[in-house]
Amino acid sequence: MIASNLDEALALTKKFTSKPSNEELLKLYGLYKQATEGDNKGDTPGGFDFIAAAKHNAWLNNIGKSKEEAQEQYISFVNSISSKYI
């Protein structure tokens, strides 16, 4: 199955039978947030919340990308890894 839009790509990730690597999950998260919300304008999480900090940084990695560009990259990335996890 190949996704052709953001909704299909998101649905495809829900069919994964095993969990992608943390690196892949963070890339998916950052691209999805950029595609749906735009640039990350939130404060960096403080303290020892390493997961929140990693997610925040993954989203920051996409700063400046248009929502459309992030959507295209998200769809492409989901399609590229889906064969490993379905």
Side-chain angles (χ1 to χ4, degrees):
M1 177 182 211
I2 300 291
S4 60
N5 62 49
L6 190 61
D7 291 334
E8 288 178 5
L10 187 58
L12 188 56
T13 64
K14 296 187 185 301
K15 294 181 180 180
F16 288 0
T17 57
S18 59
K19 184 178 175 185
S21 71
N22 287 339
E23 181 180 301
E24 290 167 329
L25 289 171
L26 287 170
K27 183 172 181 173
L28 288 168
Y29 177 85
L31 286 169
Y32 182 80
K33 292 295 275 186
Q34 188 71 22
T36 57
E37 296 185 32
D39 287 344
N40 183 349
K41 295 183 171 84
D43 294 331
T44 303
F48 292 98
D49 192 346
F50 300 115
I51 293 172
K55 286 180 165 183
H56 180 82
N57 290 334
W59 188 1
L60 282 178
N61 287 339
N62 296 289
I63 201 161
K65 285 182 188 168
S66 69
K67 288 183 177 184
E68 294 76 21
E69 183 182 3
Q71 283 181 22
E72 290 171 12
Q73 289 182 7
Y74 180 87
I75 294 163
S76 177
F77 187 60
V78 168
N79 286 332
S80 74
I81 67 169
S82 65
S83 64
K84 292 194 302 188
Y85 299 110
I86 293 181

Coordinates of all heavy atoms in Angstrom, one line a residue:
M1 N 0.8 -1.2 0.0 CA 0.0 0.0 0.0 C 0.9 1.2 0.0 O 1.8 1.3 0.8 CB -0.9 0.0 1.2 CG -1.8 1.2 1.4 SD -2.8 1.1 2.9 CE -4.2 2.0 2.3
I2 N 0.5 2.2 -0.8 CA 1.3 3.4 -0.9 C 0.3 4.6 -0.6 O -0.8 4.7 -1.1 CB 1.8 3.7 -2.4 CG1 2.8 2.5 -2.8 CG2 2.5 5.0 -2.5 CD1 4.1 2.5 -2.0
A3 N 0.8 5.5 0.3 CA -0.1 6.6 0.7 C 0.2 7.7 -0.3 O 1.3 8.0 -0.8 CB 0.3 7.1 2.1
S4 N -0.9 8.5 -0.6 CA -0.8 9.6 -1.6 C -1.1 10.9 -0.9 O -1.0 12.0 -1.5 CB -1.6 9.4 -2.8 OG -3.0 9.2 -2.4
N5 N -1.6 10.9 0.3 CA -1.9 12.1 1.1 C -1.6 11.9 2.6 O -1.3 10.8 3.0 CB -3.3 12.6 0.8 CG -4.4 11.7 1.3 OD1 -4.4 11.2 2.4 ND2 -5.4 11.4 0.4
L6 N -1.7 13.0 3.3 CA -1.3 12.9 4.7 C -2.2 12.0 5.5 O -1.8 11.2 6.3 CB -1.4 14.3 5.3 CG -0.8 14.5 6.7 CD1 0.6 14.1 6.8 CD2 -1.0 15.9 7.2
D7 N -3.5 12.0 5.2 CA -4.5 11.1 5.9 C -4.2 9.6 5.7 O -4.2 8.8 6.6 CB -5.9 11.4 5.6 CG -6.4 12.8 6.1 OD1 -5.8 13.2 7.1 OD2 -7.3 13.3 5.5
E8 N -3.9 9.3 4.4 CA -3.5 7.9 4.1 C -2.2 7.5 4.7 O -2.1 6.4 5.2 CB -3.4 7.8 2.5 CG -4.7 7.8 1.8 CD -4.5 7.7 0.3 OE1 -3.4 7.5 -0.2 OE2 -5.6 7.8 -0.4
A9 N -1.2 8.4 4.8 CA 0.0 8.1 5.4 C -0.1 7.9 6.9 O 0.4 6.9 7.4 CB 1.0 9.3 5.1
L10 N -0.9 8.7 7.5 CA -1.2 8.5 9.0 C -1.9 7.2 9.2 O -1.5 6.4 10.1 CB -2.0 9.7 9.5 CG -2.3 9.7 11.0 CD1 -1.0 9.7 11.8 CD2 -3.1 10.9 11.4
A11 N -2.9 6.9 8.4 CA -3.6 5.6 8.5 C -2.6 4.4 8.3 O -2.7 3.4 8.9 CB -4.7 5.5 7.5
L12 N -1.7 4.6 7.4 CA -0.7 3.5 7.1 C 0.2 3.3 8.3 O 0.5 2.1 8.6 CB 0.1 3.9 5.9 CG 1.1 2.8 5.3 CD1 0.3 1.6 4.9 CD2 1.8 3.4 4.1
T13 N 0.6 4.3 9.0 CA 1.4 4.1 10.2 C 0.6 3.3 11.3 O 1.3 2.6 12.1 CB 1.9 5.4 10.8 OG1 0.8 6.2 11.3 CG2 2.7 6.2 9.8
K14 N -0.7 3.5 11.3 CA -1.5 2.7 12.3 C -1.6 1.3 12.0 O -2.0 0.5 12.8 CB -2.8 3.4 12.4 CG -2.8 4.8 13.0 CD -4.1 5.4 13.2 CE -4.1 6.8 13.6 NZ -3.3 7.1 14.8
K15 N -1.2 0.9 10.8 CA -1.2 -0.5 10.4 C 0.2 -1.2 10.6 O 0.3 -2.4 10.4 CB -1.5 -0.7 8.9 CG -3.0 -0.2 8.6 CD -3.3 -0.4 7.1 CE -4.7 0.0 6.9 NZ -5.1 -0.1 5.5
F16 N 1.2 -0.5 11.1 CA 2.5 -1.0 11.4 C 2.3 -2.1 12.4 O 1.7 -1.9 13.4 CB 3.5 0.0 11.9 CG 3.9 1.0 10.8 CD1 3.5 0.9 9.5 CD2 4.9 2.0 11.2 CE1 4.0 1.8 8.5 CE2 5.3 2.9 10.2 CZ 4.9 2.8 8.9
T17 N 2.9 -3.3 12.2 CA 2.8 -4.4 13.1 C 4.0 -4.4 14.1 O 4.0 -5.2 15.0 CB 2.7 -5.7 12.3 OG1 3.9 -5.9 11.5 CG2 1.5 -5.8 11.5
S18 N 5.0 -3.6 13.8 CA 6.1 -3.5 14.8 C 6.4 -2.0 14.9 O 6.1 -1.2 14.0 CB 7.3 -4.3 14.4 OG 7.8 -3.9 13.1
K19 N 7.1 -1.7 15.9 CA 7.4 -0.3 16.2 C 8.7 0.2 15.5 O 9.7 -0.4 15.5 CB 7.6 -0.1 17.7 CG 7.8 1.3 18.2 CD 8.0 1.4 19.7 CE 8.3 2.8 20.1 NZ 8.6 2.8 21.6
P20 N 8.6 1.3 14.8 CA 9.8 1.9 14.1 C 10.8 2.3 15.2 O 10.5 2.4 16.4 CB 9.2 3.1 13.4 CG 7.8 2.8 13.2 CD 7.4 2.1 14.4
S21 N 12.0 2.5 14.7 CA 13.1 2.9 15.6 C 12.8 4.3 16.2 O 12.0 5.0 15.7 CB 14.4 3.0 14.9 OG 14.4 4.1 14.0
N22 N 13.4 4.6 17.3 CA 13.2 5.9 17.9 C 13.6 7.0 16.9 O 12.9 8.1 16.9 CB 14.0 6.1 19.2 CG 13.5 5.2 20.3 OD1 12.3 4.9 20.3 ND2 14.3 4.9 21.3
E23 N 14.6 6.9 16.2 CA 15.0 7.9 15.2 C 13.9 8.1 14.1 O 13.6 9.2 13.8 CB 16.3 7.4 14.5 CG 16.8 8.4 13.5 CD 18.1 7.9 12.9 OE1 19.1 7.7 13.6 OE2 18.1 7.7 11.6
E24 N 13.3 7.0 13.7 CA 12.3 7.0 12.7 C 11.0 7.7 13.3 O 10.4 8.5 12.7 CB 11.9 5.7 12.1 CG 13.0 5.1 11.3 CD 12.9 3.6 11.0 OE1 12.3 2.9 11.8 OE2 13.3 3.2 9.9
L25 N 10.7 7.3 14.5 CA 9.5 7.9 15.2 C 9.7 9.4 15.4 O 8.7 10.1 15.2 CB 9.3 7.2 16.6 CG 8.8 5.8 16.5 CD1 8.8 5.2 17.9 CD2 7.4 5.7 16.0
L26 N 10.9 9.8 15.8 CA 11.1 11.3 15.9 C 11.0 12.0 14.6 O 10.5 13.1 14.5 CB 12.4 11.5 16.6 CG 12.5 11.2 18.1 CD1 13.9 11.3 18.6 CD2 11.6 12.1 18.9
K27 N 11.5 11.4 13.5 CA 11.4 12.0 12.2 C 9.9 12.1 11.8 O 9.5 13.2 11.3 CB 12.2 11.2 11.2 CG 12.2 11.9 9.8 CD 13.1 11.2 8.8 CE 13.1 11.9 7.5 NZ 14.1 11.4 6.6
L28 N 9.2 11.1 12.0 CA 7.7 11.1 11.7 C 7.0 12.2 12.5 O 6.2 12.9 12.0 CB 7.1 9.7 12.0 CG 7.4 8.6 11.1 CD1 7.0 7.3 11.6 CD2 6.8 8.9 9.7
Y29 N 7.3 12.3 13.8 CA 6.7 13.2 14.7 C 7.0 14.7 14.2 O 6.1 15.5 14.1 CB 7.2 13.1 16.1 CG 6.7 14.1 17.1 CD1 5.4 13.9 17.7 CD2 7.4 15.3 17.4 CE1 4.9 14.9 18.5 CE2 6.9 16.2 18.2 CZ 5.6 16.0 18.8 OH 5.1 17.0 19.6
G30 N 8.3 14.9 14.0 CA 8.7 16.3 13.6 C 8.1 16.7 12.3 O 7.6 17.8 12.1
L31 N 8.0 15.8 11.3 CA 7.4 16.1 10.0 C 5.9 16.3 10.1 O 5.3 17.2 9.5 CB 7.7 15.1 9.0 CG 9.2 15.1 8.4 CD1 9.4 13.8 7.6 CD2 9.4 16.3 7.6
Y32 N 5.3 15.5 10.9 CA 3.8 15.6 11.1 C 3.5 16.9 11.8 O 2.5 17.6 11.3 CB 3.3 14.4 11.9 CG 1.8 14.4 12.1 CD1 1.0 14.0 11.1 CD2 1.2 14.9 13.2 CE1 -0.4 14.1 11.2 CE2 -0.2 15.0 13.4 CZ -1.0 14.6 12.3 OH -2.3 14.7 12.4
K33 N 4.2 17.2 12.8 CA 3.9 18.5 13.5 C 4.1 19.7 12.6 O 3.3 20.6 12.6 CB 4.7 18.6 14.8 CG 4.4 17.6 15.9 CD 3.0 17.8 16.4 CE 3.0 18.9 17.5 NZ 1.7 19.0 18.2
Q34 N 5.2 19.7 11.8 CA 5.4 20.8 10.9 C 4.3 20.8 9.8 O 3.9 21.9 9.4 CB 6.8 20.6 10.2 CG 7.2 21.8 9.4 CD 7.6 23.0 10.2 OE1 7.9 22.9 11.4 NE2 7.6 24.2 9.6
A35 N 3.9 19.6 9.4 CA 2.9 19.6 8.3 C 1.5 20.1 8.8 O 0.7 20.6 8.0 CB 2.8 18.1 7.8
T36 N 1.2 19.8 10.1 CA -0.1 20.2 10.6 C -0.2 21.5 11.3 O -1.2 22.1 11.4 CB -0.6 19.1 11.5 OG1 0.3 18.8 12.6 CG2 -0.8 17.8 10.7
E37 N 1.0 21.9 11.9 CA 0.9 23.1 12.8 C 1.9 24.2 12.3 O 1.8 25.3 12.8 CB 1.2 22.8 14.2 CG 0.2 21.9 14.8 CD 0.4 21.6 16.3 OE1 0.9 22.5 17.0 OE2 0.1 20.5 16.7
G38 N 2.9 23.9 11.5 CA 3.9 24.9 11.0 C 5.0 24.9 12.0 O 5.2 24.0 12.8
D39 N 5.8 26.0 12.0 CA 7.0 26.1 12.8 C 6.7 26.0 14.3 O 5.7 26.5 14.8 CB 7.7 27.5 12.5 CG 8.4 27.5 11.2 OD1 8.6 26.4 10.6 OD2 8.7 28.6 10.8
N40 N 7.6 25.3 15.0 CA 7.5 25.2 16.4 C 7.9 26.5 17.1 O 9.0 27.0 17.0 CB 8.5 24.1 16.9 CG 8.5 23.8 18.3 OD1 7.9 24.5 19.1 ND2 9.1 22.7 18.7
K41 N 7.0 27.1 17.8 CA 7.2 28.3 18.5 C 7.1 28.1 20.0 O 7.2 29.1 20.8 CB 6.2 29.4 18.1 CG 6.3 29.7 16.6 CD 5.3 30.8 16.2 CE 5.6 31.3 14.8 NZ 5.1 30.6 13.7
G42 N 7.1 26.9 20.4 CA 7.0 26.6 21.9 C 8.3 26.7 22.6 O 9.4 26.6 21.9
D43 N 8.3 26.8 23.9 CA 9.5 26.8 24.7 C 10.1 25.4 24.8 O 9.3 24.4 24.8 CB 9.2 27.4 26.1 CG 8.8 28.8 26.1 OD1 9.2 29.5 25.2 OD2 8.0 29.2 27.0
T44 N 11.4 25.4 24.9 CA 12.1 24.1 25.1 C 11.6 23.5 26.4 O 11.7 24.2 27.4 CB 13.6 24.3 25.0 OG1 13.9 24.9 23.8 CG2 14.3 22.9 25.2
P45 N 11.2 22.2 26.4 CA 10.9 21.6 27.7 C 12.1 21.6 28.7 O 13.2 21.4 28.2 CB 10.5 20.2 27.4 CG 10.2 20.2 25.9 CD 11.0 21.3 25.3
G46 N 11.8 21.8 29.9 CA 12.9 21.9 30.9 C 13.0 20.6 31.7 O 12.2 19.7 31.5
G47 N 13.9 20.6 32.6 CA 14.1 19.5 33.5 C 14.6 18.3 32.9 O 15.4 18.3 32.0
F48 N 14.1 17.2 33.3 CA 14.6 15.9 32.9 C 13.6 15.2 32.0 O 13.5 14.0 31.9 CB 15.0 15.0 34.1 CG 16.1 15.5 34.8 CD1 16.0 16.3 36.0 CD2 17.4 15.3 34.3 CE1 17.1 16.8 36.6 CE2 18.5 15.8 35.0 CZ 18.4 16.6 36.2
D49 N 12.7 15.9 31.3 CA 11.7 15.3 30.4 C 12.4 15.1 29.0 O 12.2 15.9 28.1 CB 10.5 16.2 30.3 CG 9.3 15.5 29.6 OD1 9.6 14.5 29.0 OD2 8.2 16.0 29.7
F50 N 13.2 14.1 28.9 CA 14.0 13.8 27.8 C 13.2 13.5 26.5 O 13.5 13.9 25.4 CB 15.0 12.7 28.0 CG 16.0 13.1 29.2 CD1 15.9 12.3 30.3 CD2 16.8 14.1 29.1 CE1 16.8 12.6 31.4 CE2 17.7 14.4 30.1 CZ 17.7 13.7 31.3
I51 N 12.0 12.9 26.7 CA 11.2 12.5 25.6 C 10.6 13.8 25.0 O 10.6 14.0 23.8 CB 10.1 11.5 26.0 CG1 10.7 10.2 26.4 CG2 9.0 11.3 24.9 CD1 9.8 9.2 27.0
A52 N 10.1 14.7 25.9 CA 9.5 15.9 25.4 C 10.6 16.8 24.7 O 10.3 17.4 23.6 CB 8.9 16.7 26.5
A53 N 11.8 16.8 25.2 CA 12.8 17.5 24.6 C 13.2 16.9 23.2 O 13.5 17.7 22.3 CB 14.1 17.5 25.5
A54 N 13.2 15.6 23.1 CA 13.6 15.0 21.8 C 12.5 15.3 20.8 O 12.8 15.6 19.6 CB 13.7 13.5 22.0
K55 N 11.2 15.3 21.2 CA 10.1 15.6 20.3 C 10.2 17.1 19.9 O 10.0 17.4 18.7 CB 8.8 15.3 21.0 CG 8.4 13.9 21.1 CD 7.1 13.7 21.7 CE 6.5 12.4 21.6 NZ 5.2 12.3 22.2
H56 N 10.5 17.9 20.8 CA 10.6 19.4 20.6 C 11.7 19.6 19.5 O 11.5 20.3 18.5 CB 10.9 20.1 21.9 CG 11.1 21.6 21.7 ND1 10.0 22.4 21.7 CD2 12.2 22.3 21.6 CE1 10.5 23.7 21.5 NE2 11.8 23.6 21.5
N57 N 12.9 19.0 19.7 CA 14.0 19.1 18.8 C 13.7 18.5 17.4 O 14.1 19.1 16.4 CB 15.3 18.5 19.4 CG 15.8 19.3 20.6 OD1 15.5 20.5 20.7 ND2 16.5 18.7 21.5
A58 N 13.0 17.4 17.4 CA 12.6 16.8 16.1 C 11.7 17.7 15.3 O 11.9 17.8 14.1 CB 11.9 15.5 16.3
W59 N 10.8 18.4 16.0 CA 10.0 19.4 15.3 C 10.8 20.6 14.8 O 10.7 21.1 13.7 CB 8.9 19.8 16.2 CG 7.8 20.7 15.7 CD1 7.6 21.1 14.4 CD2 6.6 21.2 16.4 NE1 6.5 21.9 14.2 CE2 5.9 21.9 15.5 CE3 6.2 21.1 17.7 CZ2 4.7 22.6 15.8 CZ3 5.0 21.7 18.0 CH2 4.3 22.4 17.1
L60 N 11.7 21.1 15.7 CA 12.6 22.2 15.4 C 13.5 21.9 14.1 O 13.8 22.8 13.4 CB 13.5 22.6 16.5 CG 12.9 23.4 17.7 CD1 13.9 23.6 18.8 CD2 12.3 24.7 17.2
N61 N 13.8 20.6 13.9 CA 14.6 20.2 12.7 C 13.9 20.6 11.4 O 14.6 20.6 10.4 CB 14.9 18.7 12.8 CG 15.9 18.4 13.8 OD1 16.7 19.2 14.3 ND2 15.9 17.1 14.2
N62 N 12.6 20.9 11.5 CA 11.9 21.1 10.3 C 11.5 22.6 10.1 O 10.7 23.0 9.2 CB 10.6 20.2 10.2 CG 11.0 18.8 10.1 OD1 11.5 18.4 9.1 ND2 10.8 18.1 11.2
I63 N 12.0 23.4 11.0 CA 11.6 24.8 11.0 C 11.9 25.5 9.7 O 12.9 25.2 9.0 CB 12.3 25.6 12.2 CG1 11.5 26.9 12.5 CG2 13.7 25.9 11.9 CD1 11.9 27.4 13.9
G64 N 11.0 26.3 9.2 CA 11.1 26.9 7.9 C 10.5 26.2 6.7 O 10.4 26.8 5.7
K65 N 10.2 24.9 6.9 CA 9.6 24.2 5.8 C 8.1 24.6 5.8 O 7.5 24.8 6.8 CB 9.7 22.7 6.1 CG 11.0 22.0 5.9 CD 10.9 20.5 6.1 CE 12.3 20.0 6.1 NZ 12.4 18.6 6.6
S66 N 7.6 24.7 4.6 CA 6.2 24.9 4.5 C 5.4 23.7 4.9 O 6.0 22.6 4.9 CB 5.8 25.3 3.0 OG 6.0 24.1 2.2
K67 N 4.2 23.9 5.2 CA 3.3 22.7 5.6 C 3.2 21.7 4.5 O 3.3 20.5 4.7 CB 1.9 23.2 6.0 CG 1.9 23.9 7.3 CD 0.4 24.3 7.7 CE 0.3 24.9 9.1 NZ -1.0 25.2 9.5
E68 N 3.1 22.3 3.2 CA 3.1 21.4 2.1 C 4.3 20.6 1.9 O 4.3 19.4 1.6 CB 2.8 22.2 0.8 CG 1.4 22.9 0.8 CD 1.3 24.1 1.7 OE1 2.4 24.7 2.0 OE2 0.2 24.5 2.1
E69 N 5.5 21.2 2.1 CA 6.8 20.5 1.9 C 6.9 19.4 3.0 O 7.3 18.3 2.7 CB 7.9 21.5 2.0 CG 9.3 20.8 1.8 CD 10.4 21.8 2.0 OE1 10.2 23.0 2.3 OE2 11.6 21.4 1.8
A70 N 6.5 19.7 4.2 CA 6.6 18.8 5.3 C 5.6 17.6 5.1 O 5.9 16.5 5.4 CB 6.3 19.5 6.7
Q71 N 4.4 17.9 4.6 CA 3.5 16.8 4.2 C 4.1 15.9 3.2 O 4.0 14.7 3.4 CB 2.2 17.4 3.7 CG 1.3 18.0 4.7 CD 0.0 18.6 4.1 OE1 -0.4 18.2 3.0 NE2 -0.6 19.5 4.8
E72 N 4.6 16.5 2.1 CA 5.2 15.6 1.1 C 6.4 14.7 1.7 O 6.5 13.6 1.3 CB 5.8 16.5 0.0 CG 4.7 17.2 -0.9 CD 5.3 18.2 -1.8 OE1 6.5 18.3 -2.0 OE2 4.5 19.0 -2.4
Q73 N 7.2 15.3 2.5 CA 8.3 14.6 3.1 C 7.7 13.5 4.1 O 8.3 12.4 4.1 CB 9.3 15.5 3.8 CG 10.1 16.3 2.9 CD 11.1 17.2 3.5 OE1 11.3 17.2 4.8 NE2 11.7 18.1 2.8
Y74 N 6.7 13.8 4.8 CA 6.1 12.8 5.7 C 5.6 11.6 4.9 O 5.8 10.5 5.3 CB 5.0 13.5 6.6 CG 4.3 12.6 7.5 CD1 4.8 12.4 8.8 CD2 3.1 11.9 7.2 CE1 4.2 11.5 9.7 CE2 2.5 11.0 8.1 CZ 3.0 10.8 9.3 OH 2.4 10.0 10.2
I75 N 4.8 11.9 3.9 CA 4.2 10.9 3.1 C 5.3 10.0 2.4 O 5.2 8.8 2.5 CB 3.3 11.5 2.0 CG1 2.1 12.2 2.6 CG2 2.9 10.4 0.9 CD1 1.4 13.2 1.7
S76 N 6.3 10.7 1.9 CA 7.4 9.9 1.3 C 8.1 9.1 2.3 O 8.5 7.9 2.0 CB 8.4 11.0 0.7 OG 9.5 10.3 0.1
F77 N 8.4 9.6 3.5 CA 9.1 8.8 4.5 C 8.2 7.6 5.0 O 8.8 6.5 5.1 CB 9.5 9.7 5.7 CG 10.3 9.0 6.7 CD1 11.6 8.5 6.4 CD2 9.9 8.9 8.0 CE1 12.4 7.9 7.3 CE2 10.7 8.2 9.0 CZ 11.9 7.7 8.6
V78 N 6.9 7.8 5.2 CA 6.1 6.7 5.6 C 6.1 5.6 4.5 O 6.2 4.5 4.8 CB 4.6 7.2 5.8 CG1 3.7 6.0 5.9 CG2 4.5 8.1 7.1
N79 N 6.0 6.0 3.3 CA 6.0 5.1 2.2 C 7.4 4.3 2.1 O 7.4 3.1 1.9 CB 5.8 5.8 0.8 CG 4.3 6.1 0.6 OD1 3.4 5.5 1.2 ND2 4.0 7.2 -0.1
S80 N 8.5 5.0 2.4 CA 9.8 4.4 2.4 C 10.0 3.4 3.5 O 10.8 2.4 3.3 CB 10.9 5.5 2.4 OG 11.1 6.0 3.7
I81 N 9.4 3.6 4.7 CA 9.6 2.6 5.8 C 8.5 1.6 6.0 O 8.6 0.7 6.7 CB 9.9 3.4 7.1 CG1 8.6 4.1 7.6 CG2 11.1 4.3 7.0 CD1 8.7 4.7 9.0
S82 N 7.4 1.8 5.3 CA 6.2 1.0 5.5 C 6.5 -0.5 5.2 O 6.0 -1.4 6.0 CB 5.0 1.4 4.7 OG 5.2 1.3 3.4
S83 N 7.3 -0.8 4.3 CA 7.6 -2.2 3.9 C 8.3 -2.9 5.1 O 8.2 -4.2 5.2 CB 8.4 -2.3 2.7 OG 9.6 -1.8 2.8
K84 N 9.0 -2.2 5.9 CA 9.7 -2.8 7.1 C 8.8 -3.1 8.2 O 9.1 -4.0 9.0 CB 10.8 -1.8 7.6 CG 11.9 -1.6 6.7 CD 13.1 -1.0 7.4 CE 12.9 0.3 8.0 NZ 14.1 1.0 8.5
Y85 N 7.6 -2.4 8.3 CA 6.8 -2.5 9.5 C 5.4 -3.1 9.3 O 4.6 -3.2 10.2 CB 6.7 -1.1 10.2 CG 8.1 -0.7 10.6 CD1 8.7 0.4 9.9 CD2 8.8 -1.3 11.6 CE1 10.0 0.8 10.3 CE2 10.0 -0.9 12.0 CZ 10.6 0.1 11.3 OH 11.9 0.5 11.7
I86 N 5.1 -3.4 8.0 CA 3.7 -4.0 7.7 C 3.9 -5.4 7.3 O 4.8 -5.8 6.6 CB 3.0 -3.2 6.6 CG1 2.6 -1.8 7.2 CG2 1.7 -3.9 6.2 CD1 1.8 -1.0 6.2

